[in-house]
Amino acid sequence: MTHNQTGKKHVIWKWLFFVLLALNLAFVGVVGVRIFWPTTVSQSEQVDTTGAVKIGTLTTSRKEFNQAAASYLKDYTKSSQYRFYATSSQMVFEGSYTFLGYKIPLTCYFDPQVTSSGSIRLKMTSFSVGTLSLPSSEILKYLKGHVDLPQFVSIDIDSETITLQLENMASSATANTFLKAENLDLAQDKISFSIYKKND
């Protein structure tokens, strides 16, 4: 191979590298702007009762919500395997119930509601735990005591509800921002959150 041919190949690879780098930077830029760029907010939309201000809105689909939930729960599902996802009508918890040393499939179905504070309240509507016949309170006690759940998740056994307090979600990347649920229209595949920034 001549020196000229080697030089041409070197130039081609160099340009391919720069094209690939540019595409990656463009992708990261678009995603970053989509997530973090503040939208115009009028004075009436500013929330100062919680010591924070609304800076934007995030709208997503069930598929994207489920992908985000699975990614977030990776650290928690290492010790206790379970899944949490949204369907077109309900939110579902899939895990296992340990009975006499045996793991039995456990599935819980919840009706999601948005609270006035922007949390997500999950009201248990039904569940199945193999062929066992157990009260729902027993299932919620088991989840509370034996499943490694994020700290922003609270379980109320008496009301048979689980509350996702989104404002308490900890993230080093977004230490000064938090989410509040706005809309959970699972049937229409529209899930939206307000993004708030804490006042320093």
Side-chain angles (χ1 to χ4, degrees):
M1 184 180 292
T2 66
H3 177 74
N4 193 31
Q5 289 175 323
T6 304
K8 284 182 179 179
K9 283 196 172 185
H10 179 72
V11 170
I12 290 172
W13 280 111
K14 184 173 74 172
W15 281 109
L16 286 174
F17 169 79
F18 282 120
V19 169
L20 182 62
L21 179 63
L23 288 173
N24 284 332
L25 289 175
F27 175 78
V28 171
V30 169
V31 171
V33 168
R34 168 83 176 173
I35 294 174
F36 296 108
W37 190 261
T39 57
T40 303
V41 181
S42 65
Q43 286 295 112
S44 61
E45 291 177 307
Q46 291 188 355
V47 179
D48 52 15
T49 56
T50 59
V53 61
K54 181 177 176 181
I55 60 172
T57 301
L58 174 65
T59 302
T60 187
S61 64
R62 289 194 311 271
K63 181 180 179 181
E64 292 168 336
F65 175 86
N66 291 339
Q67 289 172 340
S71 176
Y72 187 87
L73 291 174
K74 274 184 181 178
D75 291 338
Y76 297 93
T77 54
K78 288 176 182 176
S79 58
S80 51
Q81 294 295 317
Y82 64 87
R83 295 175 61 212
F84 178 75
Y85 59 91
T87 69
S88 60
S89 58
Q90 301 175 96
M91 290 193 171
V92 183
F93 173 94
E94 287 183 352
S96 61
Y97 182 90
T98 302
F99 181 72
L100 298 176
Y102 294 94
K103 286 190 175 181
I104 301 168
L106 168 66
T107 306
C108 301
Y109 302 91
F110 300 92
D111 177 30
Q113 301 168 339
V114 176
T115 69
S116 58
S117 64
S119 296
I120 298 175
R121 180 172 293 131
L122 306 174
K123 174 70 175 176
M124 182 184 281
T125 56
S126 62
F127 66 92
S128 65
V129 53
T131 57
L132 295 178
S133 178
L134 297 171
S136 55
S137 59
E138 182 66 24
I139 298 301
L140 290 174
K141 283 180 184 176
Y142 181 81
L143 293 180
K144 191 171 185 178
H146 296 86
V147 177
D148 188 13
L149 298 171
Q151 290 186 348
F152 67 89
V153 177
S154 62
I155 298 178
D156 188 327
I157 296 170
D158 294 331
S159 64
E160 298 185 349
T161 59
I162 296 178
T163 303
L164 312 181
Q165 299 169 318
L166 301 182
E167 67 274 15
N168 294 332
M169 286 179 67
S171 172
S172 57
T174 57
N176 292 321
T177 60
F178 61 92
L179 298 177
K180 284 190 176 185
E182 289 290 341
N183 183 39
L184 283 174
D185 192 340
L186 300 181
Q188 296 297 319
D189 201 16
K190 291 182 180 178
I191 302 173
S192 61
F193 303 89
S194 290
I195 307 170
Y196 285 86
K197 184 179 185 300
K198 298 176 184 176
N199 289 326
D200 296 329

